[in-house]
Amino acid sequence: MGKYWKVITCIALVVFTTMLVIGCGSNTAKNASTEGKKSEKVNLTLWHYYDGALQQKTMEELAQKFNASQDKITVKMEYAPRAELLKQLTIGLVADKLPDIVILDNPDTPSFAAMGILADVTDKVNAPEIKKDAYYPGPLKSNLYNNKYYGVPLGSNDIALYYNEDMFKAAGITAPPQTWDELQVAAKKLSKDGVYGFAMCDLKNEEGTFQFLPWLISSGGNYDKLDSAESIKAFQFLTTLVNDGSLSKESINWTQADVEKQFATGKAAMMINGPWNVAPVKADAPNLKFSVVKIPKDKVWASCLGGENFSIIKGHHEAEAWEFVKFALSEGNLSAMLDLMGYIPSRKDLAESNQKLKNDPIMSVFVDEMQYAMPRGPHAKWPEYSEAIYTALQESLTSQKTPEQAARDAQVKAEKILKGN
Amino acid sequence: MQNYIDVFNNPTMMTSIWNTLLFTIGSISIQFVIGFALALFFNLDFTLAKPMRGLLVVAWMIPMTVIALLSKFMLSPSGGIINELLLNLHLIDQPIGWLINNSTALWGVILANSWVGIPFNMILLTTGLSNISKSLYEAAEVDGASSLQKFVYITLPQLRPAILSVVILGFIYTFKVFDLVFVATGGGPVNATELMSTFAYKLSFAQFLFSKGATVANVLFIILFIVSLGYLKLIRKDEVIH
């Protein structure tokens, strides 16, 4: 026994020391990058959470292009996973270790503005070169906090309905569903032998809320009136899909990436997902024939707005940071960048004039959905709102509460949040 | 102070405390009983005892995140190995959605956590067992004691310090488990597996309510602090006896 312990202790020691060394290494590297060399050049750091290899490469190239275009400012890209980035930002506020520019998910922008991290860029956004009026209203509005702009949209996306053409053919369904009733019938018909007709993400976090909002809006409901008959109908409808066996109960534990896997492996005939998952589906299942249509509607068409905003950190190199943002937003750079990243330009003129998007039968649907895509909030307390919504959705889907009860409880929570408690 | 009142008025707080206790007690009992049984088993000197014991310890070395993902697949109702096994044994006729039903989700994560904890219990208890002098058993055999009597009157009292440390260290490890639950269920479905640690994380970093997140973390700390104090006291008592 003694021998084993010695070996185990040795291994543990080695692992531990390596971790220590590695820990030190990255720390010193970070210090160097944020403080920078004491030259005349201004060094800026940008934090982003794009985890796709292509997306990261695109960001790197943007930085290189900008650094080469002038000789006063150097921008350095730093990647962190989304949860980590948000954590570092909030901790950084206390420890004063913040980047100069940050790319945030659109509902997070007002929250961080409320925390006082972000610089007010209202005057800069109103400058004619930004062409504020050319933007879709949703993305632009997501930067508002107390009627001031704390960021500019980088790119947008939304969600739509993917469907498996072969499965539709096999089940004898000729046209993709356009209304909730058609969706319910089709999903039931397609569900058999371990295949679910419909898949979406009902996860217990922002992703769940993101995927649920289109249903809420489509039935005429709204997130500030969760207990209205229309809002309840949305909870009710999705719960019916679960009870029909058309939507897997596991959807409450699926991320949007998991949903993509279900669809790509043929375990789901339809799914709700965004344009960023077109490439993964094609990579995972090269032979799968699929198409995309707008999310079926009840009363009105609806989708949910996703995408990121550029924000500048207050009190750092605000002017230099804005130079970079302006460079990134200039038409040529922006279009090229978003094309590569699978995003839709937040500017209507760029989105609609983009030939590549227009001629692509799939991407054009997502562009079309943009006009119905509603922003989440914008509200500084959106994350708390979101919690009320996804909790109610889970309560309803797991039949822990009736849809009415879940919706009513969520409304009570929402009112508390509004009262500032 | 207002934060404490707010937090304790939040129904999720009570659920999370209750879940944490249930999770801890459930995990520890399963871990301890199986760990103890295995320790006794491997203490019998048979050829493969040592390598097999070594293999079992591997489970303890796997990162929690990996275990969480593994258990998510294994417990899945569509093709998860646990359900397939139970179906083939005709113990159940419908796959159980371990992690997606409110009533079973906590048990799902308890099972996963116990699996990790068993080797830890086993190793500590094995060292305890190997410290018991053989002469005690020999003397008992001369007096004609049965194996049950040997176990109750020799093994258990002699193992007391080891058992104490295993249970209390197990309590401390389990009470603050975060990654396993966070990855496997994220505290869901609804709040069925929300622990104090995941709740604190959610408040601070998903809803940006730091003061409230810190409050929950404080409560967690206070409970652990009390338990650790108790542990130190018990250990000191034991040292005096020796």
mmCIF file of all heavy atoms in Angstrom, chain A residues 1 5 83 87 90 111-112 115 204 249-250 252-253 383-384 387 390-391 394-395 398 400, chain B residues 72 76-78 99-100 102 123 127 187-191 194 201-202 205-210:
data_model
loop_
_atom_site.group_PDB
_atom_site.id
_atom_site.type_symbol
_atom_site.label_atom_id
_atom_site.label_comp_id
_atom_site.label_asym_id
_atom_site.label_seq_id
_atom_site.Cartn_x
_atom_site.Cartn_y
_atom_site.Cartn_z
ATOM 1 N N MET A 1 0.826 -1.203 0.000
ATOM 2 C CA MET A 1 0.000 0.000 0.000
ATOM 3 C C MET A 1 0.858 1.249 0.000
ATOM 4 O O MET A 1 0.624 2.202 -0.713
ATOM 5 C CB MET A 1 -0.893 -0.024 1.258
ATOM 6 C CG MET A 1 -2.115 0.858 1.110
ATOM 7 S SD MET A 1 -3.043 0.383 -0.360
ATOM 8 C CE MET A 1 -3.325 1.975 -1.054
ATOM 9 N N TRP A 5 0.802 4.727 -2.402
ATOM 10 C CA TRP A 5 0.583 6.088 -1.922
ATOM 11 C C TRP A 5 1.680 7.018 -2.385
ATOM 12 O O TRP A 5 1.422 8.141 -2.784
ATOM 13 C CB TRP A 5 0.493 6.114 -0.392
ATOM 14 C CG TRP A 5 -0.915 5.884 0.046
ATOM 15 C CD1 TRP A 5 -1.406 4.843 0.758
ATOM 16 C CD2 TRP A 5 -2.035 6.724 -0.247
ATOM 17 N NE1 TRP A 5 -2.740 4.972 0.918
ATOM 18 C CE2 TRP A 5 -3.169 6.114 0.315
ATOM 19 C CE3 TRP A 5 -2.193 7.927 -0.937
ATOM 20 C CZ2 TRP A 5 -4.429 6.645 0.228
ATOM 21 C CZ3 TRP A 5 -3.456 8.466 -1.027
ATOM 22 C CH2 TRP A 5 -4.555 7.820 -0.452
ATOM 23 N N ALA A 83 -19.485 32.414 -20.445
ATOM 24 C CA ALA A 83 -19.711 32.490 -18.998
ATOM 25 C C ALA A 83 -18.493 33.095 -18.308
ATOM 26 O O ALA A 83 -18.613 33.906 -17.393
ATOM 27 C CB ALA A 83 -20.006 31.108 -18.438
ATOM 28 N N LYS A 87 -18.087 36.628 -16.203
ATOM 29 C CA LYS A 87 -17.562 36.551 -14.853
ATOM 30 C C LYS A 87 -16.374 37.506 -14.717
ATOM 31 O O LYS A 87 -16.294 38.270 -13.768
ATOM 32 C CB LYS A 87 -17.114 35.113 -14.579
ATOM 33 C CG LYS A 87 -17.252 34.682 -13.163
ATOM 34 C CD LYS A 87 -17.258 33.173 -13.038
ATOM 35 C CE LYS A 87 -15.871 32.629 -12.996
ATOM 36 N NZ LYS A 87 -15.848 31.151 -12.960
ATOM 37 N N THR A 90 -17.433 41.147 -14.595
ATOM 38 C CA THR A 90 -18.012 41.586 -13.340
ATOM 39 C C THR A 90 -16.955 41.643 -12.243
ATOM 40 O O THR A 90 -16.954 42.538 -11.419
ATOM 41 C CB THR A 90 -19.157 40.660 -12.925
ATOM 42 O OG1 THR A 90 -18.775 39.324 -13.214
ATOM 43 C CG2 THR A 90 -20.409 40.973 -13.671
ATOM 44 N N SER A 111 -27.505 45.545 -19.003
ATOM 45 C CA SER A 111 -27.134 45.125 -17.647
ATOM 46 C C SER A 111 -25.780 45.688 -17.258
ATOM 47 O O SER A 111 -25.594 46.187 -16.153
ATOM 48 C CB SER A 111 -27.069 43.601 -17.548
ATOM 49 O OG SER A 111 -28.283 43.034 -17.910
ATOM 50 N N PHE A 112 -24.832 45.592 -18.192
ATOM 51 C CA PHE A 112 -23.496 46.086 -17.860
ATOM 52 C C PHE A 112 -23.460 47.612 -17.861
ATOM 53 O O PHE A 112 -22.681 48.213 -17.127
ATOM 54 C CB PHE A 112 -22.449 45.496 -18.807
ATOM 55 C CG PHE A 112 -22.069 44.096 -18.422
ATOM 56 C CD1 PHE A 112 -22.609 43.009 -19.079
ATOM 57 C CD2 PHE A 112 -21.202 43.867 -17.367
ATOM 58 C CE1 PHE A 112 -22.279 41.717 -18.704
ATOM 59 C CE2 PHE A 112 -20.867 42.587 -16.978
ATOM 60 C CZ PHE A 112 -21.409 41.504 -17.646
ATOM 61 N N MET A 115 -24.402 48.614 -14.560
ATOM 62 C CA MET A 115 -23.333 48.425 -13.584
ATOM 63 C C MET A 115 -22.303 49.538 -13.658
ATOM 64 O O MET A 115 -21.433 49.642 -12.792
ATOM 65 C CB MET A 115 -22.608 47.114 -13.881
ATOM 66 C CG MET A 115 -23.121 45.964 -13.088
ATOM 67 S SD MET A 115 -22.122 44.550 -13.541
ATOM 68 C CE MET A 115 -23.375 43.430 -14.033
ATOM 69 N N LYS A 204 -32.539 25.681 -18.947
ATOM 70 C CA LYS A 204 -32.761 26.548 -17.798
ATOM 71 C C LYS A 204 -31.761 27.695 -17.803
ATOM 72 O O LYS A 204 -31.014 27.884 -16.857
ATOM 73 C CB LYS A 204 -32.604 25.711 -16.535
ATOM 74 C CG LYS A 204 -33.216 26.342 -15.313
ATOM 75 C CD LYS A 204 -32.911 25.524 -14.089
ATOM 76 C CE LYS A 204 -33.284 26.349 -12.879
ATOM 77 N NZ LYS A 204 -32.553 26.005 -11.718
ATOM 78 N N LYS A 249 -39.013 15.230 -23.870
ATOM 79 C CA LYS A 249 -38.928 15.821 -22.534
ATOM 80 C C LYS A 249 -37.510 16.256 -22.230
ATOM 81 O O LYS A 249 -37.275 17.089 -21.374
ATOM 82 C CB LYS A 249 -39.354 14.794 -21.488
ATOM 83 C CG LYS A 249 -40.839 14.674 -21.351
ATOM 84 C CD LYS A 249 -41.178 13.716 -20.224
ATOM 85 C CE LYS A 249 -42.681 13.586 -20.113
ATOM 86 N NZ LYS A 249 -43.060 12.421 -19.339
ATOM 87 N N GLU A 250 -36.562 15.648 -22.932
ATOM 88 C CA GLU A 250 -35.160 15.997 -22.687
ATOM 89 C C GLU A 250 -34.813 17.405 -23.152
ATOM 90 O O GLU A 250 -33.731 17.889 -22.853
ATOM 91 C CB GLU A 250 -34.237 14.994 -23.385
ATOM 92 C CG GLU A 250 -34.059 13.719 -22.614
ATOM 93 C CD GLU A 250 -33.015 12.838 -23.266
ATOM 94 O OE1 GLU A 250 -33.340 12.152 -24.249
ATOM 95 O OE2 GLU A 250 -31.875 12.868 -22.805
ATOM 96 N N ILE A 252 -35.535 20.055 -22.082
ATOM 97 C CA ILE A 252 -35.224 20.971 -20.975
ATOM 98 C C ILE A 252 -33.757 20.894 -20.578
ATOM 99 O O ILE A 252 -33.282 21.723 -19.828
ATOM 100 C CB ILE A 252 -36.093 20.692 -19.726
ATOM 101 C CG1 ILE A 252 -35.933 19.244 -19.275
ATOM 102 C CG2 ILE A 252 -37.543 21.015 -19.993
ATOM 103 C CD1 ILE A 252 -36.495 19.004 -17.905
ATOM 104 N N ASN A 253 -33.047 19.880 -21.057
ATOM 105 C CA ASN A 253 -31.610 19.802 -20.765
ATOM 106 C C ASN A 253 -30.757 20.015 -22.013
ATOM 107 O O ASN A 253 -29.565 19.801 -21.986
ATOM 108 C CB ASN A 253 -31.253 18.438 -20.152
ATOM 109 C CG ASN A 253 -31.491 18.409 -18.655
ATOM 110 O OD1 ASN A 253 -31.577 19.448 -18.023
ATOM 111 N ND2 ASN A 253 -31.610 17.226 -18.098
ATOM 112 N N PRO A 383 -31.748 39.716 -17.211
ATOM 113 C CA PRO A 383 -31.410 38.373 -16.733
ATOM 114 C C PRO A 383 -32.385 37.847 -15.681
ATOM 115 O O PRO A 383 -32.682 36.658 -15.657
ATOM 116 C CB PRO A 383 -30.011 38.546 -16.132
ATOM 117 C CG PRO A 383 -29.434 39.700 -16.857
ATOM 118 C CD PRO A 383 -30.587 40.622 -17.115
ATOM 119 N N GLU A 384 -32.920 38.745 -14.843
ATOM 120 C CA GLU A 384 -33.877 38.283 -13.833
ATOM 121 C C GLU A 384 -35.218 37.946 -14.470
ATOM 122 O O GLU A 384 -35.881 36.984 -14.121
ATOM 123 C CB GLU A 384 -34.077 39.368 -12.772
ATOM 124 C CG GLU A 384 -32.897 39.504 -11.842
ATOM 125 C CD GLU A 384 -33.070 40.675 -10.891
ATOM 126 O OE1 GLU A 384 -33.885 40.573 -9.976
ATOM 127 O OE2 GLU A 384 -32.395 41.701 -11.107
ATOM 128 N N GLU A 387 -35.019 34.677 -16.072
ATOM 129 C CA GLU A 387 -35.118 33.585 -15.112
ATOM 130 C C GLU A 387 -36.579 33.238 -14.867
ATOM 131 O O GLU A 387 -36.961 32.069 -14.825
ATOM 132 C CB GLU A 387 -34.419 33.979 -13.805
ATOM 133 C CG GLU A 387 -34.123 32.812 -12.884
ATOM 134 C CD GLU A 387 -35.072 32.708 -11.714
ATOM 135 O OE1 GLU A 387 -35.748 33.715 -11.411
ATOM 136 O OE2 GLU A 387 -35.155 31.627 -11.118
ATOM 137 N N TYR A 390 -37.845 31.323 -18.150
ATOM 138 C CA TYR A 390 -37.429 29.938 -18.390
ATOM 139 C C TYR A 390 -37.863 29.007 -17.266
ATOM 140 O O TYR A 390 -38.084 27.830 -17.492
ATOM 141 C CB TYR A 390 -35.940 29.810 -18.734
ATOM 142 C CG TYR A 390 -34.892 30.249 -17.724
ATOM 143 C CD1 TYR A 390 -34.730 29.598 -16.512
ATOM 144 C CD2 TYR A 390 -34.017 31.290 -18.028
ATOM 145 C CE1 TYR A 390 -33.741 29.982 -15.611
ATOM 146 C CE2 TYR A 390 -33.030 31.686 -17.124
ATOM 147 C CZ TYR A 390 -32.899 31.035 -15.917
ATOM 148 O OH TYR A 390 -31.926 31.419 -15.033
ATOM 149 N N THR A 391 -37.973 29.562 -16.050
ATOM 150 C CA THR A 391 -38.466 28.705 -14.962
ATOM 151 C C THR A 391 -39.906 28.295 -15.248
ATOM 152 O O THR A 391 -40.268 27.129 -15.121
ATOM 153 C CB THR A 391 -38.376 29.454 -13.619
ATOM 154 O OG1 THR A 391 -37.051 29.913 -13.450
ATOM 155 C CG2 THR A 391 -38.739 28.547 -12.467
ATOM 156 N N GLN A 394 -40.078 25.635 -17.902
ATOM 157 C CA GLN A 394 -39.713 24.302 -17.419
ATOM 158 C C GLN A 394 -40.801 23.714 -16.524
ATOM 159 O O GLN A 394 -41.118 22.528 -16.619
ATOM 160 C CB GLN A 394 -38.386 24.371 -16.657
ATOM 161 C CG GLN A 394 -37.206 24.620 -17.570
ATOM 162 C CD GLN A 394 -35.956 23.888 -17.104
ATOM 163 O OE1 GLN A 394 -35.772 23.643 -15.931
ATOM 164 N NE2 GLN A 394 -35.105 23.514 -18.044
ATOM 165 N N GLU A 395 -41.374 24.556 -15.687
ATOM 166 C CA GLU A 395 -42.441 24.075 -14.806
ATOM 167 C C GLU A 395 -43.601 23.542 -15.623
ATOM 168 O O GLU A 395 -44.192 22.512 -15.310
ATOM 169 C CB GLU A 395 -42.941 25.209 -13.904
ATOM 170 C CG GLU A 395 -42.000 25.520 -12.757
ATOM 171 C CD GLU A 395 -42.360 26.801 -12.025
ATOM 172 O OE1 GLU A 395 -43.130 27.629 -12.592
ATOM 173 O OE2 GLU A 395 -41.873 27.001 -10.919
ATOM 174 N N THR A 398 -42.571 20.227 -17.707
ATOM 175 C CA THR A 398 -42.414 19.017 -16.899
ATOM 176 C C THR A 398 -43.695 18.689 -16.143
ATOM 177 O O THR A 398 -43.713 17.789 -15.321
ATOM 178 C CB THR A 398 -41.282 19.191 -15.865
ATOM 179 O OG1 THR A 398 -41.563 20.350 -15.088
ATOM 180 C CG2 THR A 398 -39.930 19.344 -16.522
ATOM 181 N N GLN A 400 -45.008 20.169 -13.827
ATOM 182 C CA GLN A 400 -44.935 20.399 -12.392
ATOM 183 C C GLN A 400 -46.032 21.375 -11.986
ATOM 184 O O GLN A 400 -46.562 21.303 -10.894
ATOM 185 C CB GLN A 400 -43.565 20.970 -12.027
ATOM 186 C CG GLN A 400 -43.225 20.721 -10.584
ATOM 187 C CD GLN A 400 -41.954 21.428 -10.176
ATOM 188 O OE1 GLN A 400 -41.454 22.328 -10.860
ATOM 189 N NE2 GLN A 400 -41.415 21.039 -9.049
ATOM 190 N N LYS B 72 -24.836 12.245 -17.897
ATOM 191 C CA LYS B 72 -25.934 12.800 -18.692
ATOM 192 C C LYS B 72 -26.289 11.821 -19.824
ATOM 193 O O LYS B 72 -27.454 11.566 -20.102
ATOM 194 C CB LYS B 72 -25.504 14.150 -19.265
ATOM 195 C CG LYS B 72 -26.642 15.072 -19.629
ATOM 196 C CD LYS B 72 -26.095 16.448 -19.946
ATOM 197 C CE LYS B 72 -27.066 17.278 -20.737
ATOM 198 N NZ LYS B 72 -26.543 18.594 -21.058
ATOM 199 N N SER B 76 -29.696 9.142 -19.921
ATOM 200 C CA SER B 76 -30.660 9.643 -20.892
ATOM 201 C C SER B 76 -31.738 8.605 -21.203
ATOM 202 O O SER B 76 -31.452 7.417 -21.275
ATOM 203 C CB SER B 76 -29.921 10.023 -22.176
ATOM 204 O OG SER B 76 -30.777 9.921 -23.273
ATOM 205 N N PRO B 77 -32.983 9.026 -21.352
ATOM 206 C CA PRO B 77 -34.045 8.056 -21.652
ATOM 207 C C PRO B 77 -33.973 7.516 -23.081
ATOM 208 O O PRO B 77 -34.520 6.451 -23.356
ATOM 209 C CB PRO B 77 -35.325 8.854 -21.422
ATOM 210 C CG PRO B 77 -34.930 10.270 -21.523
ATOM 211 C CD PRO B 77 -33.496 10.361 -21.141
ATOM 212 N N SER B 78 -33.322 8.227 -23.988
ATOM 213 C CA SER B 78 -33.243 7.686 -25.343
ATOM 214 C C SER B 78 -31.868 7.068 -25.545
ATOM 215 O O SER B 78 -30.926 7.734 -25.923
ATOM 216 C CB SER B 78 -33.518 8.785 -26.377
ATOM 217 O OG SER B 78 -32.769 9.928 -26.094
ATOM 218 N N LEU B 99 -32.802 12.438 -15.445
ATOM 219 C CA LEU B 99 -32.432 13.820 -15.175
ATOM 220 C C LEU B 99 -33.501 14.815 -15.614
ATOM 221 O O LEU B 99 -33.332 16.005 -15.463
ATOM 222 C CB LEU B 99 -31.102 14.153 -15.870
ATOM 223 C CG LEU B 99 -29.892 13.403 -15.328
ATOM 224 C CD1 LEU B 99 -28.658 13.748 -16.118
ATOM 225 C CD2 LEU B 99 -29.677 13.710 -13.856
ATOM 226 N N ILE B 100 -34.615 14.322 -16.173
ATOM 227 C CA ILE B 100 -35.599 15.297 -16.651
ATOM 228 C C ILE B 100 -36.893 15.246 -15.873
ATOM 229 O O ILE B 100 -37.795 16.032 -16.109
ATOM 230 C CB ILE B 100 -35.883 15.121 -18.163
ATOM 231 C CG1 ILE B 100 -36.315 13.713 -18.435
ATOM 232 C CG2 ILE B 100 -34.686 15.492 -18.985
ATOM 233 C CD1 ILE B 100 -36.586 13.457 -19.885
ATOM 234 N N ASN B 102 -38.744 15.762 -12.219
ATOM 235 C CA ASN B 102 -38.452 16.447 -10.969
ATOM 236 C C ASN B 102 -38.149 15.474 -9.850
ATOM 237 O O ASN B 102 -37.334 15.726 -8.993
ATOM 238 C CB ASN B 102 -39.652 17.289 -10.568
ATOM 239 C CG ASN B 102 -39.790 18.466 -11.468
ATOM 240 O OD1 ASN B 102 -38.853 19.223 -11.618
ATOM 241 N ND2 ASN B 102 -40.928 18.606 -12.101
ATOM 242 N N ILE B 123 -10.576 3.877 -0.309
ATOM 243 C CA ILE B 123 -9.142 3.996 -0.036
ATOM 244 C C ILE B 123 -8.881 4.363 1.424
ATOM 245 O O ILE B 123 -8.070 3.745 2.106
ATOM 246 C CB ILE B 123 -8.522 5.081 -0.955
ATOM 247 C CG1 ILE B 123 -8.395 4.549 -2.366
ATOM 248 C CG2 ILE B 123 -7.178 5.515 -0.449
ATOM 249 C CD1 ILE B 123 -7.312 3.526 -2.523
ATOM 250 N N THR B 127 -6.964 1.881 4.215
ATOM 251 C CA THR B 127 -5.791 2.201 5.041
ATOM 252 C C THR B 127 -6.123 1.963 6.498
ATOM 253 O O THR B 127 -5.303 1.429 7.244
ATOM 254 C CB THR B 127 -5.359 3.673 4.882
ATOM 255 O OG1 THR B 127 -6.461 4.402 4.385
ATOM 256 C CG2 THR B 127 -4.191 3.804 3.959
ATOM 257 N N GLY B 187 -29.046 22.673 -12.496
ATOM 258 C CA GLY B 187 -29.970 22.987 -11.407
ATOM 259 C C GLY B 187 -31.413 22.605 -11.740
ATOM 260 O O GLY B 187 -32.282 22.640 -10.891
ATOM 261 N N GLY B 188 -31.653 22.240 -12.976
ATOM 262 C CA GLY B 188 -33.004 21.920 -13.411
ATOM 263 C C GLY B 188 -33.325 20.463 -13.217
ATOM 264 O O GLY B 188 -32.510 19.743 -12.673
ATOM 265 N N PRO B 189 -34.427 19.927 -13.652
ATOM 266 C CA PRO B 189 -35.569 20.663 -14.202
ATOM 267 C C PRO B 189 -36.226 21.566 -13.150
ATOM 268 O O PRO B 189 -36.325 21.145 -12.010
ATOM 269 C CB PRO B 189 -36.521 19.552 -14.628
ATOM 270 C CG PRO B 189 -36.072 18.349 -13.892
ATOM 271 C CD PRO B 189 -34.632 18.502 -13.621
ATOM 272 N N VAL B 190 -36.635 22.731 -13.597
ATOM 273 C CA VAL B 190 -37.094 23.806 -12.722
ATOM 274 C C VAL B 190 -36.040 23.997 -11.627
ATOM 275 O O VAL B 190 -34.932 24.398 -11.930
ATOM 276 C CB VAL B 190 -38.492 23.530 -12.153
ATOM 277 C CG1 VAL B 190 -39.039 24.826 -11.574
ATOM 278 C CG2 VAL B 190 -39.424 23.062 -13.254
ATOM 279 N N ASN B 191 -36.356 23.656 -10.362
ATOM 280 C CA ASN B 191 -35.320 23.832 -9.350
ATOM 281 C C ASN B 191 -34.997 22.515 -8.665
ATOM 282 O O ASN B 191 -34.460 22.491 -7.573
ATOM 283 C CB ASN B 191 -35.766 24.857 -8.309
ATOM 284 C CG ASN B 191 -35.749 26.247 -8.871
ATOM 285 O OD1 ASN B 191 -34.891 26.575 -9.681
ATOM 286 N ND2 ASN B 191 -36.696 27.052 -8.480
ATOM 287 N N GLU B 194 -31.351 22.257 -7.850
ATOM 288 C CA GLU B 194 -30.644 23.501 -7.518
ATOM 289 C C GLU B 194 -29.987 23.350 -6.154
ATOM 290 O O GLU B 194 -30.649 23.142 -5.158
ATOM 291 C CB GLU B 194 -31.642 24.661 -7.502
ATOM 292 C CG GLU B 194 -31.007 26.027 -7.499
ATOM 293 C CD GLU B 194 -30.526 26.445 -8.879
ATOM 294 O OE1 GLU B 194 -31.319 27.011 -9.650
ATOM 295 O OE2 GLU B 194 -29.356 26.194 -9.168
ATOM 296 N N TYR B 201 -24.075 30.710 -7.805
ATOM 297 C CA TYR B 201 -23.477 31.018 -9.106
ATOM 298 C C TYR B 201 -24.487 31.720 -10.004
ATOM 299 O O TYR B 201 -24.198 32.719 -10.651
ATOM 300 C CB TYR B 201 -23.002 29.730 -9.773
ATOM 301 C CG TYR B 201 -22.373 29.969 -11.122
ATOM 302 C CD1 TYR B 201 -21.018 30.229 -11.242
ATOM 303 C CD2 TYR B 201 -23.146 29.960 -12.286
ATOM 304 C CE1 TYR B 201 -20.441 30.459 -12.464
ATOM 305 C CE2 TYR B 201 -22.584 30.192 -13.517
ATOM 306 C CZ TYR B 201 -21.225 30.442 -13.604
ATOM 307 O OH TYR B 201 -20.668 30.679 -14.819
ATOM 308 N N LYS B 202 -25.697 31.165 -10.020
ATOM 309 C CA LYS B 202 -26.724 31.702 -10.907
ATOM 310 C C LYS B 202 -27.050 33.143 -10.540
ATOM 311 O O LYS B 202 -27.168 34.009 -11.407
ATOM 312 C CB LYS B 202 -27.979 30.827 -10.815
ATOM 313 C CG LYS B 202 -28.848 30.888 -12.033
ATOM 314 C CD LYS B 202 -30.041 29.973 -11.885
ATOM 315 C CE LYS B 202 -31.066 30.587 -10.971
ATOM 316 N NZ LYS B 202 -32.208 29.713 -10.734
ATOM 317 N N PHE B 205 -23.667 35.351 -11.410
ATOM 318 C CA PHE B 205 -23.109 35.480 -12.753
ATOM 319 C C PHE B 205 -24.118 35.346 -13.871
ATOM 320 O O PHE B 205 -23.802 35.609 -15.010
ATOM 321 C CB PHE B 205 -21.962 34.484 -12.928
ATOM 322 C CG PHE B 205 -20.838 34.746 -11.983
ATOM 323 C CD1 PHE B 205 -20.433 33.788 -11.075
ATOM 324 C CD2 PHE B 205 -20.208 35.974 -11.981
ATOM 325 C CE1 PHE B 205 -19.410 34.051 -10.184
ATOM 326 C CE2 PHE B 205 -19.183 36.245 -11.097
ATOM 327 C CZ PHE B 205 -18.784 35.284 -10.201
ATOM 328 N N ALA B 206 -25.343 34.915 -13.573
ATOM 329 C CA ALA B 206 -26.338 34.897 -14.635
ATOM 330 C C ALA B 206 -27.290 36.072 -14.464
ATOM 331 O O ALA B 206 -27.797 36.623 -15.419
ATOM 332 C CB ALA B 206 -27.104 33.590 -14.650
ATOM 333 N N GLN B 207 -27.560 36.442 -13.214
ATOM 334 C CA GLN B 207 -28.503 37.540 -12.993
ATOM 335 C C GLN B 207 -27.810 38.793 -12.480
ATOM 336 O O GLN B 207 -28.475 39.801 -12.228
ATOM 337 C CB GLN B 207 -29.580 37.108 -12.008
ATOM 338 C CG GLN B 207 -30.339 35.902 -12.511
ATOM 339 C CD GLN B 207 -31.473 35.524 -11.597
ATOM 340 O OE1 GLN B 207 -32.000 36.369 -10.883
ATOM 341 N NE2 GLN B 207 -31.878 34.277 -11.612
ATOM 342 N N PHE B 208 -26.499 38.714 -12.273
ATOM 343 C CA PHE B 208 -25.702 39.850 -11.827
ATOM 344 C C PHE B 208 -26.155 40.427 -10.488
ATOM 345 O O PHE B 208 -26.061 41.619 -10.257
ATOM 346 C CB PHE B 208 -25.694 40.965 -12.888
ATOM 347 C CG PHE B 208 -25.322 40.480 -14.247
ATOM 348 C CD1 PHE B 208 -26.147 40.717 -15.333
ATOM 349 C CD2 PHE B 208 -24.152 39.769 -14.441
ATOM 350 C CE1 PHE B 208 -25.804 40.248 -16.592
ATOM 351 C CE2 PHE B 208 -23.806 39.309 -15.695
ATOM 352 C CZ PHE B 208 -24.632 39.544 -16.770
ATOM 353 N N LEU B 209 -26.702 39.581 -9.621
ATOM 354 C CA LEU B 209 -27.075 40.051 -8.287
ATOM 355 C C LEU B 209 -25.994 39.588 -7.321
ATOM 356 O O LEU B 209 -26.171 38.637 -6.575
ATOM 357 C CB LEU B 209 -28.433 39.475 -7.873
ATOM 358 C CG LEU B 209 -29.591 39.782 -8.804
ATOM 359 C CD1 LEU B 209 -30.785 38.916 -8.482
ATOM 360 C CD2 LEU B 209 -29.969 41.247 -8.676
ATOM 361 N N PHE B 210 -24.858 40.273 -7.359
ATOM 362 C CA PHE B 210 -23.701 39.768 -6.603
ATOM 363 C C PHE B 210 -23.956 39.684 -5.130
ATOM 364 O O PHE B 210 -23.598 38.728 -4.474
ATOM 365 C CB PHE B 210 -22.490 40.669 -6.818
ATOM 366 C CG PHE B 210 -22.245 40.894 -8.242
ATOM 367 C CD1 PHE B 210 -22.535 42.102 -8.816
ATOM 368 C CD2 PHE B 210 -21.800 39.847 -9.014
ATOM 369 C CE1 PHE B 210 -22.362 42.277 -10.153
ATOM 370 C CE2 PHE B 210 -21.614 40.029 -10.348
ATOM 371 C CZ PHE B 210 -21.910 41.250 -10.923
#
